[in-house]
Amino acid sequence: MIPAGFEYHRPSDIASAVSILQEHGDEARVIAGGHSLIPMMKLRMADMGHLIDLQDIDALKGISLMGDTVTIGAMVTQHELITSATLANAVPIIKEAALLIADPQVRYVGTVGGNVANGDPGNDMPGLMQCLNASYELSGPDGTRTVAAREFYEAAYFTARDDEEILTRIHIPVPAAGTGYAYEKQKRKIGDYATAASAVMLRVVDGVCAEASIAMTNLADTPVFAEAASAALYGRALDDAAIGDAVSAAIEATDPVADNRGPVEFKKHVASVILRRAIDRAASRAS
Amino acid sequence: MNEQTLTPEQRAANLKGMGSSRKRVEDVRFTQGKGNYVDDIKLDGMLFGDFVRSPYAHARVVSINTEEAMKVPGVVAVLTAEDLAPLGLHWMPTLAGDKQMVLADGKVLFQGQEVAFVVAEDRYAAADAAELVEVDYEELPVVVDPFEALKSDVVLREDTVDENGNATEGAHGPRNHPNHIFTWEQGEKEATEAVLSEADVVAEEMVYYHRTHPCPLETCGSVASMDKVTGKLTLWGTFQAPHAIRTVVSLISGIAEHNIRVISPDIGGGFGNKVGAYAGYVCSVVASIVTGKPVKWVEDRMENLMSTAFARDYWMKGKIAATKDGKITGLWCHTTADHGGFDACADPTKFPAGFMNICTGSYDIPTAYLAVEGVYTNKAPGGVAYRCSFRVTEAAYFIERMIEVLAIKLNMDAAELRRINFIKKDQFPYQSALGWEYDSGDYHTAWDKALESVGYDKLRVEQAQQIEDFKAGKTRKLMGIGLTHFTEIVGAGPVKNCDILGLGMFDSCEIRIHPTGSAIARLGTISQGQGHATTFAQIIASEIGLPADDITLEEGDTDTAPYGLGTYGSRSTPVAGAATAMAARKIRAKAQMIAAYLLEVHDDDVEWDIDRFAVKGAPERFKTMKEIAFAAYNQAIPGLEPGLEAVSYYDPPNMTYPFGAYICVLDIDVDTGEADIRSFYALDDCGTRINPMIIEGQVHGGLTEALAIAMGQEIAYDEMGNVKTGTLMDFFIPTAWETPNYITDHTTTPSPHHPIGAKGVGESPNVGGVPCFSNAVHDAFRPFGLTQTHMPHDHWRIWKTANDLGLHG
């Protein structure tokens, strides 16, 4: 568990970080909280000559609410997500999900940007961001562009981000008042990735579902945004039949692999159970 | 305060002796990060070693090329078996009478096996160079299943066959197959089979106790420093038995024993993982001899889980016979023991399966038979006693599962079945069918207290209602009530039948009283978190009347401590604790003569009173121990040598037999497989209690390890022999979140043969906890037809049980 040697860079603005990336190409990686990258380096599974530490870049920090959009800097820690009053009011599901990530020590250092940018299907934030229809701001040599979270993930560790780009900010549309939400996660222990996790947002008007958004975590090589499941709820009363249809549609969209947590059959069953619970809880919170 | 004005109770309290919940003196440094562990040792010019390890579970090593590795700046040497062979150190003896490769000698037998040792000026250079050592492997067929191994044509060990391909004699008798290590039989085979064939009822099951790992917080490591001027080797290391290591190093290296100093500094948990000898220790010594510089080796977590000693991995086939009203008449057990590539179990020489023959447990079983068959497979060696006395946890799990299986067969309540079969109080000392003499016990009292404390009858009523509710679709939760009554066998042991590598398993204590009435005591044991410096001082305080706070404890330095066999198998209190009391009594005997002289009376006319000798019938005339200590050094006393010190080497007459009654209540989510521990009650009887707070801490720690083992912790391999659980992401260590609250309780049945009646407690909660958690899971599914399933009871296995029983609709 001793990493190979590397050059350490600590730029103080985004442009400098991008130019170091440009200079060294795939020899360089940016590091945020390091919870994914450092273990890989210690295992010598990630071997790069240049490590670009983003912690001195102030432009990557902070949480703000502008109009109907919440903007979260990539270097905001999970701990800050949990303690932000702005988020607690505007998008409370983020706190509920962040509390289920690892443990307090990890959350003091682990960042939301690292969590969404790494493309690890085990991370909780990508699925949550898809559920919330967030978009990611990317800065590169050609300037800045925005990619929807629902379009960002291509395969495990492969995303729409170019090698010379840095994910700088996350923009989240503030859900309408009265939107019900729930984040459910089953894991073997504190610090584990999900056996299955699901994020649910839904709105109920006049007894029928007016809006639904469902995403699931660690059940495929990317987060699973289950459009068909949302559609199954839309326009219907949230009764057993509707929820059953949504759950079936969501599970249909998953493609889990067997690992130490258990075989595929088990994971799909657990996913269906926790998704049902998440829908129930979100419905109970909708007003 | 004037000693004359204190009441006897105040004087006793001031000593903080036995029975006091004195705070742990070790914690001042541990909680401030001021401990001194092996990796804290830094010496001038120190080099670092790192291993090249095998990625394969079974392969021939065709060649090793170290050329590129040697070019890395800072690299000093790369050792292979070829370099060690001239010294005769390419293999080393194991504690089980086998031998083990230090570095791969032509082949590798498990994934993670040590192949080459890189020595460099810093850790980074060593790791860089280790990557560049080119090893050419030729893969061989892998055998991971012990039953398969005994039928396989694949011979793991070339030294187990003769030139005709026939299995040779092993360390413990004939082999019936090249991959067979030994078969150890105890009890009466034919008589037991006769009982089974004639019994009203026989229950039969395969009970598997899976492979796991002690995984102490601090991994294993050593620093060797060979001083070429004085010829003295100093070896710091994570050793649970420093003196034994010194003797073994002397025997295998040829360095005279007086020229070897072994030091165990602070140890961050052992749990059996640090009893054996590892390749890293040997390589650090050789590298220091070769380079003339100190060499440090410290393994990382993955290396620890993959290569240093595992625990358990016993397949225990059992048959238990009883009358139709539940009186047990016989027990039969055949165990297939997966030992991995080398037999490196830590067991006394005459016990290749440890004390597995304690498997009749707490029950009066008249006839029994046990056979244990050891097998080589392509897995890491070990088989250590993970927070238990040698194989006692396996034995307790076996019998406590078999009792439950029998209860199902008899359609009886498992608490009642235990009660009618317990060894009765008046049967002690009790001779078991498998050869042990239980020293003392009062199982019925403990059992009744436990059942009453948890409200057992009410719990069963609640459970019955919950089952009704479940069947009616009102809940998806099932309630499980886990019962266990365990009997341990600890404190190895009497030298007449207990030795390790020929070293008798006595232990020792030396006490020196200083002139001002404080003291230092040194023992042959070594604390790894048990709090010896706290508790042993309490024994001395009670025995000789000096405050525990004024007594320093030292362990772990073989140049200063008296010879002893170390700390494991809950032996410190039963053996070294006894030596401590005996040494203190020698001091008190001399103190009595000094006091009598000072008081100008006959020796027999003074009597001991808490912290002083007083004249019989005239308690106002006394000499305190403190006064006596000063006089011992500074006053000429006719017929007595100056000074006040003593040493005791204690060879215990018998083992001690702690016991306990545990009850766990949990709720299972049938749909997700999650188990929520609702409550856990642990009654321990460890004989005389030295420090109740430390006992409670030991019980909490042991129960949490038991929780881990029962509910998720395992070392799992795939069919290629790859370790699937090599990091703490997959190897379950509970955090505070997963750990339930425990309720602790006790009864006190002193050991009749121990000087202070103490039996040992550190390992009881692991021994009793594992079957208790597991029985609770089984109990939840009993109404739906489950008889036996295997640990660990992680979410997926519990879910599978529910699924197999048709509970998912």
Side-chain angles (χ1 to χ4, degrees):
Chain A
M1 295 290 277
I2 304 271
F6 55 85
E7 287 291 321
Y8 178 78
H9 304 267
R10 193 159 167 164
S12 56
D13 56 67
I14 294 171
S16 308
V18 169
S19 76
I20 301 168
L21 269 180
Q22 250 185 307
E23 186 183 341
H24 298 291
D26 60 7
E27 277 285 284
R29 285 284 298 272
V30 299
I31 184 165
H35 283 304
S36 301
L37 186 55
I38 290 175
M40 288 299 112
M41 291 167 66
K42 285 183 166 185
L43 290 167
R44 297 192 175 219
M45 290 167 80
D47 193 1
M48 78 288 300
H50 299 269
L51 196 62
I52 307 164
D53 190 334
L54 301 180
Q55 66 176 302
D56 278 356
I57 304 178
D58 288 340
L60 299 178
K61 295 175 184 170
I63 298 167
S64 62
L65 174 63
M66 296 273 280
D68 289 341
T69 304
V70 168
T71 298
I72 305 174
M75 289 299 283
V76 167
T77 64
Q78 315 288 356
H79 174 72
E80 289 170 308
L81 294 181
I82 290 165
T83 52
S84 161
T86 305
L87 283 182
N89 287 325
V91 201
I93 192 174
I94 292 178
K95 177 179 178 177
E96 184 161 298
L99 278 168
L100 295 172
I101 295 174
D103 56 58
Q105 284 173 302
V106 169
R107 296 195 296 252
Y108 286 132
V109 178
T111 66
V112 65
N115 196 295
V116 298
N118 197 33
D120 184 338
N123 285 349
D124 290 279
M125 287 293 159
L128 177 63
M129 292 305 160
Q130 292 193 338
C131 177
L132 289 167
N133 197 20
S135 55
Y136 303 149
E137 196 175 313
L138 303 167
S139 290
D142 302 327
T144 296
R145 66 182 178 122
T146 299
V147 179
R150 293 174 186 174
E151 308 292 327
F152 187 70
Y153 299 97
E154 295 165 354
Y157 305 104
F158 286 93
T159 66
R161 185 184 62 82
D162 291 336
D163 280 349
E164 296 174 0
E165 285 181 317
I166 296 169
L167 191 152
T168 54
R169 290 179 193 88
I170 299 166
H171 302 292
I172 302 169
V174 174
T179 303
Y181 65 92
Y183 196 82
E184 275 277 339
K185 179 179 182 179
Q186 181 170 339
K187 51 187 174 175
R188 295 172 297 179
K189 59 174 178 179
I190 290 293
D192 194 16
Y193 293 119
T195 302
S198 57
V200 174
M201 301 284 292
L202 50 82
R203 214 150 52 81
V204 177
V205 176
D206 298 332
V208 298
C209 178
E211 196 177 343
S213 178
I214 293 171
M216 306 193 78
T217 290
N218 219 12
L219 292 162
D221 70 344
T222 62
V224 177
F225 177 62
E227 266 183 294
S230 309
L233 296 178
Y234 184 75
R236 294 169 74 180
L238 295 174
D239 55 17
D240 273 0
I243 294 173
D245 289 346
V247 170
S248 299
I251 300 308
E252 190 66 27
T254 65
D255 184 21
V257 292
D259 59 20
N260 286 332
R261 293 174 187 83
V264 170
E265 182 196 13
F266 163 70
K267 289 187 169 185
K268 286 194 171 186
H269 189 265
V270 166
S272 71
V273 172
I274 65 150
L275 175 55
R276 187 179 292 271
R277 289 177 186 174
I279 294 172
D280 284 347
R281 198 165 73 242
S284 75
R285 284 168 167 168
S287 59
Chain B
M1 203 178 297
N2 189 321
E3 279 156 354
Q4 308 245 19
T5 65
L6 294 176
T7 64
E9 291 74 24
Q10 286 168 325
R11 286 194 282 126
N14 285 348
L15 298 178
K16 298 185 191 169
M18 287 193 284
S20 158
S21 281
R22 178 185 187 222
K23 283 190 180 169
R24 285 166 40 110
V25 296
E26 298 88 343
D27 289 346
V28 176
R29 67 178 190 278
F30 291 156
T31 55
Q32 294 184 19
K34 298 280 172 61
N36 181 42
Y37 298 91
V38 167
D39 208 11
D40 293 321
I41 292 164
K42 295 178 176 68
L43 303 174
D44 283 347
M46 189 168 73
L47 305 174
F48 296 84
D50 199 353
F51 279 113
V52 176
R53 292 178 181 276
S54 171
Y56 301 110
H58 196 195
R60 198 162 297 291
V61 176
V62 179
S63 65
I64 302 174
N65 183 343
T66 63
E67 214 172 295
E68 290 303 311
M70 284 301 293
K71 290 180 187 164
V72 174
V75 169
V76 176
V78 181
L79 302 177
T80 65
E82 260 180 47
D83 302 304
L84 303 185
L87 303 166
L89 292 174
H90 55 320
W91 289 70
M92 62 180 174
T94 72
L95 298 182
D98 196 2
K99 57 178 188 165
Q100 177 176 354
M101 292 178 217
V102 173
L103 292 171
D105 184 19
K107 70 185 292 193
V108 289
L109 291 167
F110 64 93
Q111 189 184 49
Q113 187 178 330
E114 299 82 358
V115 175
F117 190 67
V118 179
V119 184
E121 286 166 5
D122 65 61
R123 282 185 165 142
Y124 293 88
D128 288 346
E131 285 231 301
L132 297 175
V133 173
E134 294 164 21
V135 185
D136 185 11
Y137 296 98
E138 178 190 314
E139 286 184 72
L140 296 168
V142 174
V143 184
V144 290
D145 179 328
F147 299 99
E148 203 57 43
L150 289 176
K151 291 181 275 178
S152 177
D153 294 336
V154 180
V155 174
L156 270 60
R157 291 277 297 268
E158 284 155 2
D159 55 342
T160 59
V161 286
D162 61 21
E163 59 274 16
N164 302 318
N166 297 317
T168 54
E169 178 99 0
H172 303 285
R175 302 177 202 272
N176 55 37
H177 185 280
N179 298 331
H180 171 239
I181 307 171
F182 62 83
T183 296
W184 188 61
E185 289 181 279
Q186 296 287 294
E188 296 177 59
K189 186 177 186 203
E190 282 169 17
T192 305
E193 282 166 357
V195 168
L196 289 167
S197 68
E198 291 158 13
D200 294 350
V201 176
V202 176
E204 187 173 338
E205 262 311 331
M206 173 64 92
V207 178
Y208 178 48
Y209 196 144
H210 60 290
R211 178 176 281 236
T212 182
H213 194 284
C215 193
L217 187 57
E218 178 203 28
T219 59
C220 298
S222 57
V223 177
S225 180
M226 184 72 195
D227 185 327
K228 291 207 167 170
V229 176
T230 62
K232 184 145 185 167
L233 171 69
T234 306
L235 179 61
W236 291 262
T238 47
F239 308 132
Q240 288 182 237
H243 284 96
I245 291 282
R246 184 184 73 189
T247 301
V248 171
V249 169
S250 176
L251 291 173
I252 68 173
S253 70
I255 302 170
E257 198 166 356
H258 71 281
N259 274 332
I260 302 170
R261 179 183 184 189
V262 173
I263 301 173
S264 294
D266 283 330
I267 295 182
F271 313 116
N273 185 234
K274 294 168 181 170
V275 172
Y278 294 124
Y281 302 161
V282 177
C283 287
S284 66
V285 170
V286 173
S288 183
I289 292 170
V290 170
T291 63
K293 292 184 172 175
V295 177
K296 178 186 280 188
W297 164 73
V298 176
E299 64 182 1
D300 66 31
R301 178 63 59 197
M302 293 177 69
E303 292 178 297
N304 179 254
L305 287 171
M306 280 176 95
S307 69
T308 53
F310 79 92
R312 327 296 193 224
D313 215 347
Y314 261 32
W315 292 89
M316 301 173 284
K317 176 92 177 160
K319 298 176 195 173
I320 188 164
T323 62
K324 58 184 182 307
D325 50 2
K327 187 76 189 83
I328 300 169
T329 53
L331 180 72
W332 179 96
C333 177
H334 184 280
T335 294
T336 302
D338 186 340
H339 284 223
F342 305 96
D343 184 10
C345 291
D347 293 316
T349 306
K350 295 183 186 116
F351 298 88
F355 303 155
M356 180 63 193
N357 55 331
I358 193 73
C359 66
T360 52
S362 306
Y363 311 102
D364 182 15
I365 302 178
T367 311
Y369 169 71
L370 165 72
V372 183
E373 195 168 43
V375 184
Y376 290 124
T377 62
N378 289 122
K379 297 180 189 166
V384 294
Y386 172 5
R387 203 175 184 137
C388 71
S389 196
F390 318 100
R391 301 292 187 183
V392 173
T393 307
E394 289 90 327
Y397 185 65
F398 170 73
I399 186 63
E400 288 302 300
R401 281 303 311 143
M402 290 309 294
I403 290 284
E404 294 282 323
V405 169
L406 178 62
I408 292 168
K409 188 101 177 178
L410 290 163
N411 196 24
M412 267 184 85
D413 177 77
E416 184 57 20
L417 179 61
R418 285 180 173 84
R419 191 200 312 273
I420 63 178
N421 285 291
F422 282 143
I423 300 161
K424 295 182 187 70
K425 189 179 174 184
D426 60 12
Q427 287 178 280
F428 292 94
Y430 172 82
Q431 197 67 42
S432 81
L434 292 176
W436 296 112
E437 186 186 295
Y438 292 29
D439 60 348
S440 64
D442 184 354
Y443 300 164
H444 286 94
T445 298
W447 195 237
D448 290 343
K449 187 176 184 185
L451 296 178
E452 195 184 321
S453 297
V454 301
Y456 179 69
D457 294 339
K458 275 191 184 165
L459 286 171
R460 286 293 180 202
V461 171
E462 184 188 344
Q463 185 186 38
Q465 181 61 50
Q466 180 140 10
I467 292 161
E468 288 307 307
D469 290 349
F470 183 88
K471 288 177 176 169
K474 293 181 193 165
T475 178
R476 296 296 292 162
K477 296 268 176 82
L478 290 175
M479 174 179 169
I481 304 168
L483 304 173
T484 286
H485 191 289
F486 64 92
T487 295
E488 264 210 290
I489 171 169
V490 307
V495 173
K496 64 179 184 288
N497 56 14
C498 286
D499 71 84
I500 286 187
L501 290 177
L503 309 174
M505 296 181 74
F506 62 86
D507 225 292
S508 60
C509 176
E510 177 201 84
I511 304 171
R512 293 182 190 174
I513 311 296
H514 305 316
T516 53
S518 60
I520 184 165
R522 296 188 173 96
L523 291 90
T525 46
I526 175 70
S527 186
Q528 305 125 38
Q530 293 92 336
H532 289 179
T534 308
T535 50
F536 287 132
Q538 290 180 253
I539 296 174
I540 298 168
S542 285
E543 291 288 342
I544 63 170
L546 292 175
D549 288 347
D550 295 346
I551 301 165
T552 296
L553 254 287
E554 271 187 17
E555 297 175 302
D557 183 339
T558 59
D559 265 11
T560 57
Y563 203 97
L565 262 281
T567 294
Y568 44 85
S570 257
R571 66 185 301 280
S572 299
T573 296
V575 191
T580 303
M582 299 308 272
R585 287 173 193 181
K586 288 182 188 178
I587 285 171
R588 201 166 84 187
K590 183 172 179 183
Q592 179 168 3
M593 291 188 269
I594 297 168
Y597 173 80
L598 296 174
L599 292 163
E600 299 179 331
V601 295
H602 190 274
D603 291 355
D604 294 338
D605 292 333
V606 294
E607 62 186 355
W608 178 247
D609 176 27
I610 301 170
D611 55 358
R612 63 190 59 176
F613 278 102
V615 176
K616 284 179 185 170
E620 72 285 358
R621 292 190 60 214
F622 63 84
K623 288 289 171 190
T624 64
M625 198 61 177
K626 209 169 164 166
E627 293 169 314
I628 295 166
F630 198 80
Y633 286 92
N634 300 310
Q635 196 157 342
I637 300 171
L640 283 182
E641 287 180 1
L644 195 55
E645 60 182 64
V647 60
S648 169
Y649 288 83
Y650 188 81
D651 179 9
N654 191 4
M655 310 284 186
T656 63
Y657 297 76
F659 62 93
Y662 291 179
I663 300 173
C664 171
V665 182
L666 53 73
D667 297 290
I668 283 173
D669 184 327
V670 171
D671 294 319
T672 65
E674 292 165 298
D676 181 35
I677 312 296
R678 192 197 295 187
S679 63
F680 197 104
Y681 170 90
L683 180 152
D684 276 285
D685 192 320
C686 57
T688 303
R689 292 155 55 85
I690 299 167
N691 183 320
M693 185 185 70
I694 285 190
I695 291 172
E696 192 175 1
Q698 289 284 310
V699 171
H700 281 218
L703 288 177
T704 304
E705 282 179 328
L707 169 80
I709 295 166
M711 306 308 286
Q713 188 178 85
E714 65 175 323
I715 296 289
Y717 289 83
D718 68 14
E719 60 197 16
M720 297 301 293
N722 298 306
V723 181
K724 291 164 67 184
T725 51
T727 77
L728 297 188
M729 187 59 102
D730 287 310
F731 185 84
F732 177 42
I733 303 278
T735 68
W737 187 263
E738 290 83 19
T739 304
N741 288 317
Y742 302 114
I743 301 159
T744 58
D745 202 348
H746 67 278
T747 54
T748 303
T749 311
S751 170
H753 62 77
H754 187 278
I756 59 170
K759 288 186 170 184
V761 75
E763 303 177 333
S764 296
N766 199 326
V767 172
V770 172
C772 192
F773 285 113
S774 183
N775 283 349
V777 173
H778 283 90
D779 183 70
F781 291 111
R782 177 175 167 175
F784 302 93
L786 177 69
T787 305
Q788 175 65 18
T789 184
H790 296 317
M791 296 190 291
H793 304 297
D794 57 9
H795 296 171
W796 120 251
R797 287 182 177 91
I798 290 179
W799 179 89
K800 184 173 186 303
T801 297
N803 203 48
D804 291 347
L805 294 172
L807 302 183
H808 292 144

